Amino acid sequence: MEHPHISRRRVLGGALGSLLAAGAAGEALARNVKPQHWDETYDVVIVGSGFAGLSAAYEAVKQGVKRVLVLEKMEAWGGNSALCGALMCMPLTKMQKAKGIEDSPEKLVADMMAAGRGFNHPELALTMAKNAAGAFDMLEECGVEFQDKVIRLGGHSAPRAHLPKVPSGGSITVPMHKWLRSKGVEFRNRANVHELVFDDDGVRGVKVTFDYDWHTDTGRREGTVRALKGVVVASGGWGQDHEFVTATMPAYAQLECTSQPGATATMIKAMLAAGSLPVMLDMFQLGPWASPDEKGAGPGSFFADYAFAEGMAIDPKTGARFMNELADRRTRAEAQLKVLEKGTKDAPNYPFCFCSQATADHAEGFKAAYREGTVKRSDSVEALAKLHGVDVEALKQSIADWNEIVAGKKEDPFKKPLDTRTELNPPFYSMRLSPKLHYCMGGAAITPRAEVVSAQTCKPIPGLYAAGEVTGGVHGMDRLGGCSSVDCFVFGRIAGAQVAARKA
Amino acid sequence: MEHPHISRRRVLGGALGSLLAAGAAGEALARNVKPQHWDETYDVVIVGSGFAGLSAAYEAVKQGVKRVLVLEKMEAWGGNSALCGALMCMPLTKMQKAKGIEDSPEKLVADMMAAGRGFNHPELALTMAKNAAGAFDMLEECGVEFQDKVIRLGGHSAPRAHLPKVPSGGSITVPMHKWLRSKGVEFRNRANVHELVFDDDGVRGVKVTFDYDWHTDTGRREGTVRALKGVVVASGGWGQDHEFVTATMPAYAQLECTSQPGATATMIKAMLAAGSLPVMLDMFQLGPWASPDEKGAGPGSFFADYAFAEGMAIDPKTGARFMNELADRRTRAEAQLKVLEKGTKDAPNYPFCFCSQATADHAEGFKAAYREGTVKRSDSVEALAKLHGVDVEALKQSIADWNEIVAGKKEDPFKKPLDTRTELNPPFYSMRLSPKLHYCMGGAAITPRAEVVSAQTCKPIPGLYAAGEVTGGVHGMDRLGGCSSVDCFVFGRIAGAQVAARKA
């Protein structure tokens, strides 16, 4: 039954064999097919160079694995991790303890389950929370420098967010990358993994397009890389894959995305083709601080948080507020979508947020957003009404109501927390709002040991591990800020430890 | 490249070929593999004999297809459809119009989107709503007799629910089955389809275990059936597949299920293995009227609706109400799960509902549930408190509060609609509550033409159609009563029409 001249077919037969071997009929399928040729051989192959991939490489190195290869599709290293705000919510770090903050993994899990609307896989959430403090130690070892503060983010019941000195993901990916190279880990960019290759014992390698150019979705050379111990998929989300987003969640077909352009569905598709069980593919976190007047999440998205806290958001059709501007992300994004639905393609109805001068003066991102024209100034209520096509009397009433609320003379029907009480007076600074895809909540189902679950057997697919945004379940339907980074660190490390422990 | 002696491999190669043909690398894979042997040949093969399968067969017959085979896994015909309450929400039927009720497909879609929390695939919902009235005509043609009334169900903005003379699904499946047999459609029961078979042009048949016994999950004979035009999967949900439910939604691992025992994941797995894109696999509708003290959805579940309307539900830990007893199903089930979470395995904390004699006297299901011991009588508040382990003073207070609410002296903090105002006085009739899996919201993604969508291409898989509970998207995250039947009728018919139009 060996046919060495049809290697591709044989590889496919192996893959589908594993798909169907434990199928409903219980038929055992022969899986005596092996790839005929490997271009290169490593112990561990990691797909993606963001927080999850780097953490997997870190742990594989710590466990003594010699030949680790990290493949990155893009020219730039680090994916969305390199671009993020680098907030990391980690209970029980030595820094948090030194500050005398009371916290626990269980408290973090409770917060995550509330944000996740109960869809979280409880064991995954607890695994993340319990191992979070260890991530802090890993980062320190890799040379990441932290600010000496622990802050509290929305939806979290304790201050537990840590920040690197320069609060950007690059402050983490760059030192980790450097540390890993110093330990002999190999990195290759413009290497687009697009298929998982099986042998009798499970996943044994990957097919790669090298010299890959994402602009044209083509490369110069096809290759196969063997992974003697297994493959870790840490390829991130796919919010930029319009076709895949539309197929899974057509109601979001028109939404822009805040991710880097490499965030496509290549690897989630490869995992589906390899028989992995997907969960929550239709659940996306939307950024409610996004504007149609800037690309992705620009400076306007920082400004919006301040305008939400000290100003208000208005539906142009009514001139009235329509949400608690400090509700959780999903609640706010859904409220904005309802406002947008009242418009048409030719006459859109963008909600907008605005604030007074005092707020603008201390709002992060304001200067850049104003310079770029995302945020606009209006010197009177009339001018603000004209700018957004709102009935001026209705808008005046909304502002008067708000000023009574901050004066304590009226109750807020939306019950927004009033940490500051800032009266709204001209000049006003406003920005149009339109939610954007920010994070893929769903992905491959994994076990607490970062093993990818088979849709056919509901058990791990041997040799295949995954961590980070390409997986689903940890955060449920929606996630809190400062938690995806920790998810990547924790499950990346677990994947690295698991694959390291596997026999070659 | 033809190797006639390895037929199984060849079939698999074909299947995975179609999986990967349009994969990320854009490599075209040879798919010149055909099954070597078919035991039988039909034009159309339909998997499942519930509402969706019967409707597909109906439409195939109407379109002139001669050889239609319906395969049913169980001994009994009709799956869960045969057991359901047979409510059918269909706007613009001649009966609804004759009664002068104002309604429209768009109104139904708006109601569905509210229940579905916006996760609905809008085109699918609209397709269902627009074609609903046509289902009425189909059923009449097949000999289904309707009651001369159109009623309004919870969450629906108009009276649009139709009922057969005897309000049970069997009043629909039996005459349809009979009508279809009279037109030459063949039916086979105990035929467990477990794999979809491909040829060069897509899905071309199925693998079946005949003489199948669900108790042992084994059969006497394996067979292949060719479907010249294609296959319609109408196999229903998988709420009884504990392993698959747990893998997709571990938080629901402990929940019972109201479905018939054949509701396993065999066909959704077969579709996943065939490369279909799944959506919302983790979303289940829970029945909030279910009791741990009866199997599935028994007479107690009918009683509960009356106790919810005219009585109240109590958390034993607090002795207080904890939900609007008439909120939508998801809201109520989630509130109950929160109450249950306060208990332990050894000391469970089942919420319970109860009502007075007057309510019990007219509550559907009461007599049987009382006879079976699911509903219990307590002659005093003290006895009721003792029965459920509640603090008697707290319970007395809750009852006193309720009686003030129905007397109009107090506002209901949960804002339950008060269509009737019934004071609570002993004797009380109570039932313990525990939500059960009632409906799989997710499944294979389909187009409005009932074509199954490929995860790799996001386009239809040729020759593969699906309808009913095995699909996902129509209802979004949760569904309204009286809508799954119509989903089955409409998309079953569309699937039948599409497969009929396909070239053999």
Side-chain angles (χ1 to χ4, degrees):
Chain A
M1 298 282 264
E2 288 287 318
H3 300 279
H5 58 291
I6 46 163
S7 65
R8 182 173 297 146
R9 174 76 45 73
R10 299 178 62 72
V11 172
L12 294 177
L16 195 65
S18 86
L19 272 184
L20 297 179
E27 293 182 77
L29 291 167
R31 287 195 291 145
N32 58 346
V33 280
K34 290 201 177 79
Q36 300 307 303
H37 174 74
W38 294 106
D39 295 318
E40 304 178 65
T41 294
Y42 287 82
D43 293 316
V44 171
V45 171
I46 296 166
V47 185
S49 69
F51 290 156
L54 296 171
S55 302
Y58 167 88
E59 198 59 38
V61 164
K62 296 294 274 189
Q63 302 292 329
V65 180
K66 295 293 176 220
R67 294 171 300 173
V68 178
L69 175 67
V70 178
L71 297 170
E72 166 59 49
K73 167 166 103 174
M74 305 300 279
E75 175 89 36
W77 301 105
N80 279 310
S81 297
L83 309 175
C84 78
L87 290 158
M88 296 165 276
C89 286
M90 305 181 283
L92 306 188
T93 59
K94 55 194 174 193
M95 187 185 281
Q96 195 201 35
K97 283 182 191 163
K99 296 190 185 306
I101 297 162
E102 279 216 27
D103 199 5
S104 72
E106 289 73 18
K107 273 189 181 179
L108 173 54
V109 169
D111 295 342
M112 290 169 68
M113 301 280 280
R117 308 288 200 268
F119 279 88
N120 317 59
H121 293 203
E123 271 195 89
L124 296 183
L126 191 61
T127 299
M128 181 193 118
K130 280 187 171 169
N131 291 284
F136 184 89
D137 304 331
M138 167 184 76
L139 297 175
E140 273 203 327
E141 184 181 352
C142 292
V144 175
E145 292 183 287
F146 287 90
Q147 296 185 34
D148 184 25
K149 67 177 178 188
V150 180
I151 61 176
R152 177 172 168 151
L153 303 180
H156 287 275
S157 58
R160 57 170 77 110
H162 302 64
L163 279 162
K165 282 246 158 103
V166 178
S168 157
S171 305
I172 296 166
T173 54
V174 172
M176 284 192 83
H177 190 118
K178 199 174 152 192
W179 188 92
L180 291 165
R181 276 197 193 269
S182 80
K183 303 294 178 192
V185 172
E186 287 185 46
F187 283 82
R188 275 203 245 149
N189 63 352
R190 300 183 61 195
N192 185 38
V193 177
H194 54 80
E195 192 178 327
L196 297 159
V197 183
F198 283 72
D199 72 7
D200 289 354
D201 298 320
V203 172
R204 189 62 78 189
V206 294
K207 290 197 185 177
V208 194
T209 306
F210 291 105
D211 293 319
Y212 176 75
D213 177 359
W214 69 267
H215 292 93
T216 57
D217 193 24
T218 56
R220 291 230 184 98
R221 182 169 65 86
E222 285 297 307
T224 53
V225 182
R226 179 153 60 165
L228 290 173
K229 285 171 171 286
V231 173
V232 178
V233 179
S235 52
W238 51 86
Q240 293 288 7
D241 201 314
H242 183 254
E243 190 179 63
F244 198 74
V245 170
T246 302
T248 50
M249 185 59 181
Y252 288 180
Q254 304 310 320
L255 301 184
E256 263 190 82
C257 174
T258 65
S259 298
Q260 52 97 13
T264 63
T266 310
M267 282 312 296
I268 187 69
K269 285 183 180 180
M271 285 204 282
L272 286 166
S276 107
L277 177 71
V279 289
M280 306 177 197
L281 289 185
D282 23 71
M283 295 181 183
F284 296 86
Q285 176 168 76
L286 303 183
W289 26 246
S291 174
D293 301 318
E294 67 179 10
K295 224 180 146 223
S301 65
F302 292 93
F303 164 80
D305 275 341
Y306 292 81
F308 285 151
E310 302 181 5
M312 59 166 81
I314 293 290
D315 172 358
K317 279 265 194 265
T318 63
R321 286 172 69 210
F322 60 94
M323 65 177 185
N324 165 3
E325 293 89 345
L326 293 180
D328 68 27
R329 287 175 173 177
R330 179 162 290 264
T331 305
R332 286 182 289 166
E334 287 180 350
Q336 291 177 30
L337 290 178
K338 285 221 166 73
V339 172
L340 282 163
E341 272 170 20
K342 298 181 188 175
T344 62
K345 207 175 172 186
D346 295 327
N349 187 52
Y350 288 110
F352 63 97
C353 61
F354 70 99
C355 63
S356 296
Q357 185 74 50
T359 304
D361 285 344
H362 75 105
E364 209 183 329
F366 165 69
K367 277 184 191 168
Y370 184 55
R371 194 171 53 234
E372 292 171 8
T374 313
V375 170
K376 290 192 165 64
R377 176 183 162 128
S378 306
D379 287 322
S380 64
V381 183
E382 288 75 11
L384 182 65
K386 199 177 164 198
L387 179 63
H388 295 282
V390 193
D391 177 78
V392 66
E393 292 311 318
L395 187 57
K396 274 185 181 165
Q397 186 62 52
S398 294
I399 293 173
D401 286 348
W402 175 254
N403 288 343
E404 285 195 35
I405 290 167
V406 296
K409 292 179 192 160
K410 205 167 185 170
E411 213 183 311
D412 179 4
F414 294 102
K415 302 194 191 307
K416 173 158 82 168
L418 285 174
D419 289 344
T420 58
R421 291 173 174 272
T422 313
E423 227 182 61
L424 280 171
N425 292 303
F428 299 117
Y429 294 90
S430 68
M431 183 182 92
R432 301 200 298 174
L433 298 165
S434 182
K436 294 182 188 177
L437 296 170
H438 185 55
Y439 192 87
C440 297
M441 300 314 308
I446 56 169
T447 70
R449 308 206 304 172
E451 300 154 314
V452 173
V453 175
S454 158
Q456 298 300 316
T457 65
C458 298
K459 292 181 175 53
I461 296 173
L464 186 58
Y465 305 85
E469 194 177 351
V470 77
T471 70
V474 179
H475 309 284
M477 188 191 286
D478 221 306
R479 71 171 176 80
L480 295 171
C483 279
S484 60
S485 53
V486 182
D487 175 11
C488 290
F489 299 138
V490 168
F491 285 100
R493 287 184 74 182
I494 293 173
Q498 289 294 322
V499 74
R502 197 155 175 267
K503 276 192 190 143
Chain B
M1 295 286 263
E2 288 286 320
H3 300 277
H5 57 292
I6 47 164
S7 64
R8 182 173 297 146
R9 173 77 44 75
R10 300 179 59 72
V11 172
L12 295 177
L16 195 63
S18 86
L19 272 184
L20 297 179
E27 296 181 74
L29 292 165
R31 287 196 291 147
N32 58 345
V33 280
K34 290 203 177 77
Q36 299 309 301
H37 173 75
W38 294 107
D39 294 320
E40 304 179 64
T41 294
Y42 287 82
D43 294 315
V44 170
V45 171
I46 296 166
V47 184
S49 70
F51 290 156
L54 296 171
S55 302
Y58 167 87
E59 198 59 38
V61 164
K62 297 293 274 189
Q63 301 293 329
V65 181
K66 295 290 175 220
R67 293 171 303 173
V68 178
L69 175 66
V70 178
L71 296 169
E72 166 58 50
K73 168 165 101 173
M74 305 301 280
E75 175 90 37
W77 300 106
N80 280 310
S81 298
L83 309 174
C84 78
L87 291 158
M88 296 165 277
C89 287
M90 304 181 284
L92 307 188
T93 59
K94 57 193 174 195
M95 187 185 282
Q96 194 201 37
K97 283 183 191 163
K99 295 189 186 306
I101 298 163
E102 278 216 25
D103 199 5
S104 72
E106 289 73 19
K107 273 190 181 179
L108 173 55
V109 169
D111 295 342
M112 290 169 69
M113 301 281 278
R117 309 288 201 267
F119 279 87
N120 316 57
H121 292 204
E123 270 195 89
L124 296 183
L126 191 60
T127 299
M128 181 193 118
K130 280 187 172 169
N131 290 284
F136 184 90
D137 303 331
M138 166 184 77
L139 297 174
E140 274 204 326
E141 183 180 352
C142 292
V144 175
E145 292 182 286
F146 286 90
Q147 295 185 33
D148 185 24
K149 67 178 177 188
V150 180
I151 61 176
R152 177 171 168 153
L153 303 179
H156 286 275
S157 59
R160 57 171 77 110
H162 302 64
L163 279 162
K165 281 247 159 102
V166 178
S168 157
S171 305
I172 296 167
T173 53
V174 172
M176 283 192 83
H177 190 119
K178 199 174 153 193
W179 188 92
L180 290 165
R181 277 196 191 271
S182 80
K183 304 292 178 193
V185 172
E186 287 184 47
F187 284 80
R188 265 191 262 154
N189 64 351
R190 299 182 62 196
N192 185 38
V193 177
H194 54 80
E195 192 180 325
L196 297 158
V197 182
F198 283 72
D199 72 7
D200 290 354
D201 299 319
V203 172
R204 189 61 79 187
V206 294
K207 290 195 184 179
V208 194
T209 307
F210 291 104
D211 292 320
Y212 176 76
D213 177 358
W214 69 267
H215 293 91
T216 58
D217 192 25
T218 56
R220 293 230 183 99
R221 182 170 65 85
E222 286 298 307
T224 52
V225 181
R226 180 153 59 165
L228 290 173
K229 285 171 173 286
V231 173
V232 178
V233 178
S235 51
W238 52 86
Q240 293 288 6
D241 201 314
H242 183 254
E243 191 179 62
F244 198 75
V245 170
T246 303
T248 49
M249 185 58 180
Y252 287 179
Q254 304 310 321
L255 301 184
E256 265 190 81
C257 173
T258 63
S259 298
Q260 52 97 11
T264 64
T266 310
M267 282 313 295
I268 186 71
K269 286 182 179 181
M271 285 204 280
L272 286 166
S276 107
L277 176 72
V279 289
M280 306 177 198
L281 288 185
D282 24 72
M283 295 180 183
F284 296 87
Q285 176 168 78
L286 303 182
W289 26 246
S291 174
D293 301 317
E294 67 179 10
K295 226 181 143 220
S301 65
F302 291 93
F303 164 79
D305 275 341
Y306 291 81
F308 284 152
E310 301 180 6
M312 59 168 81
I314 293 289
D315 172 359
K317 278 267 193 263
T318 63
R321 286 171 69 209
F322 60 93
M323 64 177 188
N324 165 4
E325 292 89 345
L326 292 181
D328 68 27
R329 286 175 173 178
R330 180 162 289 262
T331 304
R332 287 183 288 167
E334 286 180 350
Q336 291 178 29
L337 289 178
K338 285 222 166 72
V339 172
L340 282 162
E341 272 171 20
K342 298 181 190 177
T344 62
K345 206 174 173 188
D346 295 328
N349 188 51
Y350 288 111
F352 63 96
C353 62
F354 70 98
C355 63
S356 297
Q357 185 75 49
T359 303
D361 285 345
H362 75 106
E364 208 182 333
F366 166 69
K367 276 183 191 167
Y370 185 56
R371 194 170 56 233
E372 292 170 7
T374 314
V375 170
K376 289 191 166 62
R377 175 182 163 129
S378 305
D379 287 323
S380 63
V381 182
E382 287 75 10
L384 182 65
K386 199 178 164 197
L387 180 63
H388 295 281
V390 192
D391 178 78
V392 65
E393 293 309 317
L395 187 57
K396 273 184 181 165
Q397 186 62 54
S398 294
I399 293 173
D401 286 347
W402 175 255
N403 287 343
E404 285 195 34
I405 290 166
V406 297
K409 292 178 191 162
K410 208 169 183 167
E411 212 182 312
D412 179 3
F414 294 102
K415 302 194 190 306
K416 173 158 82 169
L418 286 174
D419 288 345
T420 57
R421 292 173 173 272
T422 312
E423 225 182 63
L424 280 170
N425 291 304
F428 300 118
Y429 295 89
S430 68
M431 183 181 93
R432 302 200 299 174
L433 299 165
S434 183
K436 294 182 188 176
L437 296 169
H438 185 55
Y439 192 87
C440 297
M441 300 314 308
I446 56 168
T447 70
R449 308 205 302 173
E451 299 153 315
V452 173
V453 175
S454 158
Q456 298 301 317
T457 65
C458 298
K459 292 181 174 54
I461 297 174
L464 185 59
Y465 306 84
E469 194 177 352
V470 78
T471 70
V474 179
H475 309 284
M477 188 190 285
D478 221 305
R479 72 171 176 80
L480 295 171
C483 279
S484 59
S485 53
V486 181
D487 176 11
C488 291
F489 298 139
V490 168
F491 285 99
R493 286 184 74 183
I494 292 174
Q498 289 294 321
V499 73
R502 196 155 175 265
K503 274 192 190 145

